[in-house]
Amino acid sequence: MASQATFKSIKSLVPLLDRVLVQRFKPETKTSTGIFLPSSTTNNPLNEGTVIATGPGAPNKDGQVVPTQVKTGDRVLLPSWGGNAIKVGEEEYYLFKDQEILAKIQE
């Protein structure tokens, strides 16, 4: 199980090295026509999210900083496991290493 930290403001959190702060998309609980979906169909977190902040990157074996592959605002595909949960008020965010992010979703 991922560890969880709590903060008062998301702006107080600055990822270091190759860490990426992501907010997972929330599953829809109601259809466009107003029908509520049963919790059995909404209890699995989606594996997509939005990048909120990134660290500057991590040094490679030669000491040169390799920037993260994603940037703030990118829509990404996430693994169903891992990440460190961070709670800000009622919102939940996750910190992943850049290499754990599976793909960038182009729109």
Side-chain angles (χ1 to χ4, degrees):
M1 181 168 188
S3 62
Q4 187 167 359
T6 303
F7 297 90
K8 292 183 181 180
S9 167
I10 196 65
K11 292 181 181 185
S12 66
L13 188 65
V14 179
L16 300 176
L17 298 173
D18 62 344
R19 301 292 193 271
V20 178
L21 183 65
V22 176
Q23 184 174 27
R24 287 186 188 265
F25 291 147
K26 294 179 184 168
E28 292 293 326
T29 57
K30 187 168 64 168
T31 67
S32 60
T33 58
I35 298 172
F36 285 94
L37 299 171
S39 61
S40 62
T41 63
T42 61
N43 62 359
N44 293 333
L46 297 176
N47 292 341
E48 293 180 28
T50 302
V51 175
I52 303 300
T54 64
N60 63 14
K61 64 180 180 172
D62 299 324
Q64 297 174 333
V65 174
V66 177
T68 57
Q69 300 293 306
V70 296
K71 63 184 186 317
T72 301
D74 281 350
R75 193 170 153 204
V76 294
L77 184 63
L78 303 166
S80 56
W81 47 265
N84 290 72
I86 298 164
K87 191 101 170 167
V88 179
E90 294 299 311
E91 296 292 324
E92 194 166 52
Y93 300 86
Y94 293 86
L95 266 176
F96 286 94
K97 289 186 100 176
D98 184 45
Q99 66 194 34
E100 293 175 337
I101 294 175
L102 303 176
K104 201 184 320 186
I105 300 170
Q106 302 289 343
E107 294 185 34

